[in-house]
Amino acid sequence: MSPLALLRAIVIAAVLTPLAALAHGATPQKVVETIEIAAPPAKVWAVVGNFQDMGWLPGVVKTEGEGDVTPELARRKLILAGGAVIDERLVQYDDAAMSLRYIIEHVDFSVLPVGNLSATLKVLPAASGGSTVEWKSRFYRAFPGGNPPEQYTDEVAVAAVSNLFKCGLAALKARVERE
Amino acid sequence: MSFRAGAGALLLMLLAGAGARADEAFVPNQSSDDLTIVDLGAMTPSATMPIGGKPAGIAVSRDGATVYVTSPEGHFVSAIDAKARRVVKRIGVPGTPMGVAVSPDGRRVYVADMYGRDLLEIDVDSEATRRVEIGAMPSGVAATPDGRLVIAAARDDNALVILDAASFARVATLDVGKHPYGVTIDAQGGRAYTANVESDDVSIVDLAERKLVATVRVGSHPYGVALARGRAFVANQYAETVSVFDAATFAPLATIKVGEYPESVAASRDGETIYVTNWFSNELWSIDAETFKILGKAATGDGPRAFGAFIRVVD
C-alpha cells in the first residue's frame, strides 16, 4: 500500500476540529494485532526496538526525535506524507523482553481519531526460529462525551487503530523478510 | 506436631472454611458490559451479572448489603442487592457518572459527573439529589468513615476538593499532583491519598489540617491506592506494577510486577491481602500484603475497571 493510500485509509474525518483540546471518551478501547515473521526475534527487534526510526510504518516519511530509548525522555515526531505530524513519547523499554511501550502525545483527529493512546510493541519467539510481533493498544475515541458524531465513535476509532497496526505489521514483515 | 495432629488441624480448618463465606470482589467490566463477582477465598469467579451502559465505577455499602455501579455511557447508577445478585433499581444520572462512593450510613451515594463539573449526592431511597461544583473532570470520590467529609478529585484542575457532607458544600480545595484520579481515605479518616496519573506520584493530604502532607513518587501512570498494614499500595497502569510505600515514613518498600494495565486496587478487611484489577489482561490478582508475593489470579469479564472500593464484606 502506498503512503498516501495508507493515509487515506486511516483518515476518517475530513476536517480538523477543536475537539483536540478535550481528553477522551468514557470507555477505553482495546486493539491487539499480531503477525508471524520468518526471521529470528533479534533481527525483528533490531528494527522494532529502534524507537528513533519508525520508517517501517507506511506513511511515515521521516522520524525526528531525541532521548534514544530512555523511557520518559525519549520522544519522536512521525512526519507523515502530506506534512501531518504525530508526537510520541516512550514510556517503557525492555530490551531483554524485546518490548516497548509508547504513548501518542498529540495527533490530529483527521489522521487518527483517538485520544490517550498507549501502545505496546513486543517481539516473541515463534516456532522454527521465527518471530511473532504483537502490537496492542489502549485508547479512547476522539469525542469524549456521550452521543459522539458518526466520525468519532468507538467503532471508527477501533477500525482506524486496527487498520494502522495491520498495515504497519504487514510492512514490517515485508521489510524484515526481504533483508 | 505429629502428622496425625497436623492432618486433624487441617481438616478442622477445611470444615471451618466450609462454614464461613469468603468476602467478595465486585468487578464492573466496562467492555463486556457486565459485573464479575469473585469469591476471594477461592479466587474464582462465582457469578456474572449483566449491567449495561459500560459500567466502570463501584462502591459497596459498609454492611455489604448493597453495591452501587456507575454506567457512564448509560447515564445511570445501578443499586444491586449483593446477596441476591439482583439489580434493585437504576437511578438515572445525567452526564457521565463515573466515580462513586456510599455514605457510611448507607443512605446516600456520591456520584462524580466526569464530563460535567459536579458531584451529585443521591438519597438512595427517595432519589432526591443535591449537587456541588467540584471542577474540571470530577473523578475519584471517597467519604470519611465518620461520614462527615466527602473528598473528590478534580482531575483536570489538579486538585482535591474537601466537602462537608451535611451541608454538601466545599470547605477546601487543595493543589495536588497532575491529574489526580483515584481517592482513598485511611481507616481513621485522617488522611486522603490520590494517585496522580500524569505526574507519576501520590499526594497525601491531612484532612483535619486541610493541607498536603507528602508527595510520593510511584510508577508510570498510577490510577488507584489501597491501604493495609501501614502501607500504601499503588496500581501503576503503564508500568504494570504495584508500588508499595510506608504510609508513615513514605519510604519505598517494593515494586510488584502485576498483569497488563492494572487500574484499581483494594485491601482485604484484615489487611492481609491486596487485590488489583488488570484491565487489558482481564484478571483480578491477589497479593500478599506482607511478602508481596502473588497469591492468585481470577478471570474477569472484558475490560475490568472497578473504579472505587470494590470489596464486599460477607458476614
Side-chain angles (χ1 to χ4, degrees):
Chain A
M1 186 183 280
S2 76
L4 282 175
L6 175 84
L7 275 177
R8 269 198 294 276
I10 65 174
V11 164
I12 305 297
V15 292
L16 302 184
T17 78
L19 289 172
L22 297 166
H24 52 68
T27 304
Q29 306 295 316
K30 289 179 189 177
V31 160
V32 181
E33 299 292 346
T34 59
I35 201 163
E36 303 289 317
I37 297 181
K43 188 179 173 187
V44 180
W45 179 242
V47 177
V48 170
N50 182 359
F51 185 73
Q52 299 298 342
D53 184 1
M54 195 67 169
W56 54 270
L57 181 66
V60 175
V61 295
K62 194 176 175 190
T63 307
E64 290 177 355
E66 58 185 20
D68 191 24
V69 292
T70 307
E72 300 300 335
L73 295 177
R75 286 179 162 75
R76 68 186 176 194
K77 283 182 186 297
L78 307 181
I79 297 160
L80 307 180
V85 173
I86 303 176
D87 290 315
E88 298 183 337
R89 172 159 54 101
L90 188 69
V91 293
Q92 297 281 308
Y93 194 87
D94 188 337
D95 197 45
M98 297 191 197
S99 174
L100 66 81
R101 175 170 297 163
Y102 65 92
I103 60 171
I104 292 183
E105 294 199 303
H106 177 78
V107 62
D108 283 330
F109 294 159
S110 61
V111 176
L112 202 60
V114 301
N116 275 34
L117 179 143
S118 61
T120 307
L121 268 163
K122 187 174 174 62
V123 183
L124 302 141
S128 65
S131 305
T132 299
V133 180
E134 182 183 73
W135 201 352
K136 63 203 308 186
S137 181
R138 181 189 201 269
F139 55 91
Y140 293 84
R141 65 174 181 247
F143 187 84
N147 305 315
E150 61 180 13
Q151 73 270 35
Y152 294 134
T153 62
D154 288 336
E155 292 72 20
V156 166
V158 167
V161 173
S162 175
N163 192 26
L164 176 67
F165 286 8
K166 281 178 182 161
C167 291
L169 289 173
L172 176 71
K173 176 184 172 75
R175 171 176 161 169
V176 173
E177 290 183 352
R178 193 170 59 232
E179 277 176 357
Chain B
M1 190 189 284
S2 70
F3 171 76
R4 191 176 296 259
L10 181 65
L11 183 64
L12 280 174
M13 282 167 63
L14 287 170
L15 287 170
R21 289 182 59 208
D23 289 351
E24 296 173 326
F26 275 61
V27 181
N29 304 300
Q30 199 168 22
S31 304
S32 54
D33 251 348
D34 53 16
L35 175 81
T36 303
I37 302 171
V38 177
D39 178 318
L40 295 177
M43 273 307 278
T44 51
S46 55
T48 302
M49 293 179 61
I51 300 292
K54 304 293 179 191
I58 179 125
V60 182
S61 66
R62 186 181 272 180
D63 62 7
T66 311
V67 173
Y68 297 93
V69 174
T70 58
S71 287
E73 301 221 24
H75 318 291
F76 58 80
V77 175
S78 300
I80 296 164
D81 178 332
K83 197 172 174 185
R85 276 85 159 100
R86 189 169 60 84
V87 175
V88 177
K89 65 173 168 180
R90 278 181 171 185
I91 304 168
V93 178
T96 311
M98 187 73 174
V100 60
V102 57
S103 63
D105 63 11
R107 288 161 59 183
R108 292 170 295 278
V109 288
Y110 304 104
V111 180
D113 176 8
M114 194 163 192
Y115 290 95
R117 296 183 61 82
D118 292 353
L119 182 74
L120 281 71
E121 177 208 66
I122 303 168
D123 183 298
V124 298
D125 291 326
S126 70
E127 297 185 26
T129 299
R130 292 192 290 179
R131 56 172 65 225
V132 61
E133 185 172 11
I134 296 299
M137 296 288 273
S139 298
V141 194
T144 53
D146 63 7
R148 292 167 75 163
L149 299 176
V150 178
I151 318 298
R155 198 195 73 176
D156 288 19
D157 285 344
N158 306 320
L160 270 193
V161 177
I162 303 177
L163 304 160
D164 176 73
S167 62
F168 208 53
R170 297 166 75 119
V171 295
T173 302
L174 302 173
D175 291 336
V176 291
K178 201 172 170 204
H179 284 200
Y181 193 62
V183 175
T184 304
I185 297 173
D186 65 23
Q188 299 74 36
R191 288 177 172 180
Y193 295 68
T194 189
N196 303 304
V197 177
E198 296 288 329
S199 52
D200 297 343
D201 49 24
V202 170
S203 298
I204 302 161
V205 163
D206 184 301
L207 294 174
E209 307 254 324
R210 295 173 191 171
K211 70 172 193 188
L212 186 70
V213 175
T215 303
V216 180
R217 189 94 189 148
V218 291
S220 181
H221 237 63
Y223 258 57
V225 182
L227 302 168
R229 309 196 146 223
R231 296 162 182 160
F233 297 80
V234 186
N236 303 304
Q237 195 201 49
Y238 287 172
E240 298 186 336
T241 56
V242 169
S243 297
V244 189
F245 65 84
D246 187 299
T249 66
F250 313 122
L253 297 175
T255 303
I256 308 163
K257 186 88 187 104
V258 294
E260 296 177 37
Y261 284 73
E263 290 197 357
S264 194
V265 60
S268 63
R269 69 166 126 177
D270 60 11
E272 290 185 6
T273 312
I274 298 297
Y275 301 98
V276 59
T277 60
N278 298 286
W279 175 83
F280 215 123
S281 46
N282 299 333
E283 303 161 302
L284 179 76
W285 284 24
S286 58
I287 302 167
D288 188 308
E290 192 65 43
T291 66
F292 310 142
K293 286 197 168 67
I294 306 302
L295 299 173
K297 300 174 185 180
T300 65
D302 191 16
R305 299 298 302 276
F307 182 45
F310 60 86
I311 303 297
R312 177 197 172 218
V313 166
V314 179
D315 285 312

